[in-house]
Amino acid sequence: MRLNYPSNVKIIKVPCTGKVDVIHLLQAFERGADGVYIAGCLEGDCHFLRGNLRARKRVEYTKRLLDEIGIGGERLQMYNMSAAQGPRFAEVAREMTERIMTLGPNPIRAKKGEAEMETG
Amino acid sequence: MKSESKLEQILTKGEFAVTSECGPPRGADAEVIRKKGELLKGFVDGVNVTDNQTSVVRMSSISSCVILKGLGLNPIMQMVTRDRNRIAIQSDILGAAALGINNILCLTGDHQKFGDHASAKNVFDMDSIQLVQTVKLMRDEGKFLGGEELKGSPKMFIGAAENPFADPFEIRVPRLAKKVAAGVDFIQTQCIYNLPKFEKWMKLVRDRGLHERVHILGGVTPFKSVGMANYMKKSVPGMDVPDELIERMKAAPKEKKAEEGINICIETIQRLREIEGIHGVHVMAIEWEEMVSEIVKRAGLFPRPHIEG
Amino acid sequence: MIVAERKPLEQISSMIESNNKILIVGCGECVTVCSAGRKKEVEILASALNMVRSKEGKPVEIRQETLERQCDGEYLEQLRGFIGEYEVVISMACGAGVQFMAEKYKNSLVLPALNTKFIGVTEEQGVWSERCHACGDCKLHLTGGVCPIARCSKSLLNGPCGGSANGKCEISPDLVCGWQLIIERLSDLGQLEKYEEIIPINNWSTNRDGGPRKVVREDLRL
């Protein structure tokens, strides 16, 4: 199955979404990501029992934090899918890309861009 | 007599006492309290004056008591421990006694969360039982809590409230026993709707002989509407309203709902008079003071006994 | 432990509005256990403040440190070498830690990142609740091991009040009535007769009411 998905999605592999912590998500935005989503196993199918459920809670917490920061929690999303759901993976990649396109660039990156223009 | 209270004299003579309640206004207009007082005058032996009830700021209980006293009523000053420490409490007791107030009802008070100043700091330097002890110490031993002697004791008749329906039920009678041990003279109960449960409580009270050591006045509140009955059942903590009373209110024709509420109230008073150890009723007609006279008359409790002084 | 919670980010960022060099210091004791001021929270706060400031086009330099604890001078000493290089210090300790750091470094502006809430326990992972008011005169032997001062909303020594219904406190259906707990406990211990002993009016002078408190052990002093 050779499915196309937007090339702007950069994949970072982790052994389990339960390994993803709040700080990892924040640092992605801090370094300029416009959006981040986590693709975890289907709920109930975690090899480590609750890894994906914990990831979901951390995502919810980080969304609120991003709202507080002023970046917007909607730039972060948790999805669940199995390894066998290739089309779903591609669909989510397009859905998230569309959402981010609508929201525009990460305001931090935008501001840094401005600064570079001015100094450059 | 322990006090100079008219209520004490009536209860000591073995008369069935009637008290009622009056909420001070949310402003400085004395006329409001006078109007309420006039509606009650001659029909009751004592009038409770609430102390910032439900933690909503109102005219002070002491000043409202003085206004009612001026009309010839016998005010029962409610005092909650929520807003004053022991210094202010003792000072206010002395002040009230000096102004001729000779009944006090000792309460803990609703948490300020319910009121219009939820961000206030609460005090609770003491609880209601310790307040009873405090008044008794001042009256009978002529002493302050700090141990010093006071000049001129406050001759106050000491009351407290008790809710036979609150949880946990197994400590409701022991709790009354604690108040009796602390030195309370009279008790006004929470509104009684569930008579079988109340009778069960009174039986336990009599088993311990508490009814001979304290005057118990049963609390009654007439329903004005089905909505009020439902509200009392569902939203007032520690209130026990049986479904059959709600059904009775629902069954009454629209224009006779209030009358049905009064009927239920009068029937409750009649049954309370039959219970051994019940020495009176406390009629709490919330913002419905004009009905108290009718309830007292129809319950056969009018005229009230005349007490000199 | 002392349980604390991070202040809203907006409040913290407004405290440091005009500063560009910031030191954030976590604490390895109570606030680590309650996940309010651990190394991890220091990282998160640093990252969040970085983003807030980058977004405003006013980037900020942040250094992160986490001490063993901030309520002991010997650990605070570890900041001595570099604290002076920063315009402000944000302490992620309880109120005691924040103040002690300010006492030790008189020329540094030390700001609080946490709201210190109470002395409590971990009820379950992620849930903490209050148990002690530090009244200075423990009464747990009288009340079946449940504190009436900390667990009753009105700190009644002879409760419950009339607002106790279905075992819950009048101020919230989610809050257990402290006196319900006391009675259940006395009953389980076969000590319900203790309920009828009136606990006398309290001496609050051992509490905060007696002024700021101090404990001195002469045998331990150097």
Side-chain angles (χ1 to χ4, degrees), chain B residues 231-268:
Chain B
Y231 177 79
M232 298 282 262
K233 184 182 177 71
K234 292 181 189 136
S235 306
V236 183
M239 193 73 77
D240 187 341
V241 183
D243 289 329
E244 58 258 37
L245 292 188
I246 308 255
E247 292 308 316
R248 253 185 87 176
M249 287 300 290
K250 279 187 186 159
K254 202 178 169 195
E255 67 283 1
K256 295 201 169 168
K257 300 274 187 208
E259 195 182 318
E260 189 66 4
I262 301 287
N263 289 339
I264 294 171
C265 180
I266 287 162
E267 286 165 30
T268 308

Side-chain angles (χ1 to χ4, degrees), chain B residues 23-67:
Chain B
R26 303 209 62 204
D29 186 2
E31 209 43 48
V32 181
I33 199 98
R34 281 195 199 103
K35 272 187 191 146
K36 286 185 178 181
E38 289 295 348
L39 292 169
L40 300 172
K41 195 176 170 184
F43 294 98
V44 295
D45 311 315
V47 185
N48 288 34
V49 181
T50 53
D51 180 9
N52 298 301
Q53 64 184 109
T54 62
S55 308
V56 170
V57 179
R58 292 166 185 278
M59 186 188 287
S60 74
S61 179
I62 296 183
S63 50
S64 304
C65 282
V66 172
I67 295 166

Side-chain angles (χ1 to χ4, degrees), chain A:
Chain A
M1 211 161 33
R2 284 186 158 275
L3 293 161
N4 284 325
Y5 66 89
S7 60
N8 55 348
V9 177
K10 181 176 179 335
I11 295 177
I12 298 171
K13 291 178 187 168
V14 288
C16 170
T17 52
K19 184 67 192 131
V20 180
D21 214 332
V22 177
I23 189 67
H24 303 131
L25 300 170
L26 287 181
Q27 281 172 348
F29 287 102
E30 202 180 338
R31 291 173 195 177
D34 297 313
V36 175
Y37 68 95
I38 300 192
C41 297
L42 293 171
E43 291 194 358
D45 278 354
C46 177
H47 292 248
F48 307 101
L49 304 176
R50 288 196 311 273
N52 50 359
L53 301 176
R54 305 188 71 170
R56 174 171 295 279
K57 289 190 169 180
R58 290 177 194 149
V59 165
E60 290 308 319
Y61 178 84
T62 312
K63 274 167 158 294
R64 287 197 297 276
L65 203 49
L66 289 170
D67 282 335
E68 275 195 273
I69 294 166
I71 286 181
E74 65 277 14
R75 291 180 183 274
L76 175 64
Q77 193 61 45
M78 173 85 195
Y79 289 100
N80 295 91
M81 62 193 73
S82 81
Q85 288 177 308
R88 174 71 184 143
F89 179 85
E91 181 191 328
V92 162
R94 282 193 297 273
E95 183 184 309
M96 201 59 195
T97 302
E98 272 170 39
R99 183 195 290 189
I100 300 303
M101 289 294 190
T102 319
L103 290 169
N106 175 347
I108 293 171
R109 204 160 56 98
K111 203 73 196 177
K112 274 186 183 158
E114 264 175 43
E116 277 161 24
M117 293 262 280
E118 279 164 23
T119 53

Side-chain angles (χ1 to χ4, degrees), chain B residues 86 109 113 127 167 175 208, chain C residues 154 158 166 171 196 202:
Chain B
R86 67 192 73 180
K113 193 189 177 209
D127 58 36
D167 293 313
R175 184 152 177 79
R208 294 190 52 166
Chain C
K154 302 174 183 172
N158 298 283
N166 303 317
I171 74 164
E196 287 204 31
N202 197 37

Side-chain angles (χ1 to χ4, degrees), chain B:
Chain B
M1 291 289 158
K2 299 172 190 169
S3 71
E4 289 160 5
S5 163
K6 186 179 149 188
L7 183 62
E8 184 185 8
Q9 294 179 49
I10 285 173
L11 287 166
T12 308
K13 279 167 83 181
E15 299 272 4
F16 195 79
V18 180
T19 57
S20 187
E21 199 160 295
C22 191
R26 303 209 62 204
D29 186 2
E31 209 43 48
V32 181
I33 199 98
R34 281 195 199 103
K35 272 187 191 146
K36 286 185 178 181
E38 289 295 348
L39 292 169
L40 300 172
K41 195 176 170 184
F43 294 98
V44 295
D45 311 315
V47 185
N48 288 34
V49 181
T50 53
D51 180 9
N52 298 301
Q53 64 184 109
T54 62
S55 308
V56 170
V57 179
R58 292 166 185 278
M59 186 188 287
S60 74
S61 179
I62 296 183
S63 50
S64 304
C65 282
V66 172
I67 295 166
L68 292 177
K69 181 95 188 171
L71 296 176
L73 283 140
N74 176 38
I76 300 166
M77 174 178 68
Q78 295 196 359
M79 184 177 278
V80 299
T81 62
R82 176 191 60 227
D83 310 320
R84 301 169 178 85
N85 69 7
R86 67 192 73 180
I87 300 170
I89 282 175
Q90 294 177 97
S91 162
D92 279 350
I93 289 168
L94 295 180
L99 290 163
I101 299 162
N102 38 42
N103 307 284
I104 181 169
L105 192 82
C106 304
L107 302 169
T108 301
D110 296 314
H111 196 271
Q112 74 276 11
K113 193 189 177 209
F114 294 102
D116 56 351
H117 291 77
S119 54
K121 187 177 196 307
N122 61 35
V123 181
F124 297 119
D125 183 13
M126 61 175 87
D127 58 36
S128 58
I129 289 177
Q130 293 161 345
L131 177 55
V132 168
Q133 287 182 318
T134 303
V135 188
K136 189 174 160 59
L137 176 78
M138 293 171 78
R139 180 189 71 190
D140 297 348
E141 294 177 43
K143 281 187 177 164
F144 289 111
L145 283 167
E148 293 288 311
E149 284 193 13
L150 50 88
K151 296 178 180 68
S153 302
K155 294 295 177 197
M156 288 204 176
F157 196 43
I158 308 168
E162 190 50 55
N163 184 358
F165 309 103
D167 293 313
F169 186 73
E170 66 264 33
I171 60 99
R172 295 333 301 183
V173 175
R175 184 152 177 79
L176 177 68
K178 279 180 97 165
K179 288 187 177 171
V180 171
V184 76
D185 300 313
F186 70 100
I187 290 285
Q188 291 170 328
T189 75
Q190 175 65 288
C191 313
I192 301 159
Y193 296 107
N194 186 342
L195 274 157
K197 193 168 178 186
F198 183 72
E199 278 165 354
K200 192 175 152 199
W201 181 75
M202 276 305 294
K203 162 103 179 40
L204 296 169
V205 168
R206 288 193 301 272
D207 287 348
R208 294 190 52 166
L210 297 172
H211 65 305
E212 285 163 357
R213 297 172 61 196
V214 65
H215 299 288
I216 299 172
L217 280 61
V220 291
T221 290
F223 295 135
K224 247 178 173 173
S225 62
V226 179
M228 173 181 170
N230 274 322
Y231 177 79
M232 298 282 262
K233 184 182 177 71
K234 292 181 189 136
S235 306
V236 183
M239 193 73 77
D240 187 341
V241 183
D243 289 329
E244 58 258 37
L245 292 188
I246 308 255
E247 292 308 316
R248 253 185 87 176
M249 287 300 290
K250 279 187 186 159
K254 202 178 169 195
E255 67 283 1
K256 295 201 169 168
K257 300 274 187 208
E259 195 182 318
E260 189 66 4
I262 301 287
N263 289 339
I264 294 171
C265 180
I266 287 162
E267 286 165 30
T268 308
I269 296 175
Q270 305 298 11
R271 282 188 61 183
L272 289 174
R273 290 180 76 173
E274 304 299 316
I275 300 173
E276 188 190 346
I278 294 293
H279 295 174
V281 280
H282 179 50
V283 186
M284 292 165 275
I286 303 156
E287 291 304 315
W288 210 16
E289 286 85 358
E290 65 272 24
M291 292 314 298
V292 173
S293 56
E294 188 185 329
I295 292 168
V296 172
K297 278 192 229 162
R298 282 183 55 198
L301 294 168
F302 187 79
R304 301 305 310 143
H306 182 71
I307 299 288
E308 287 303 325

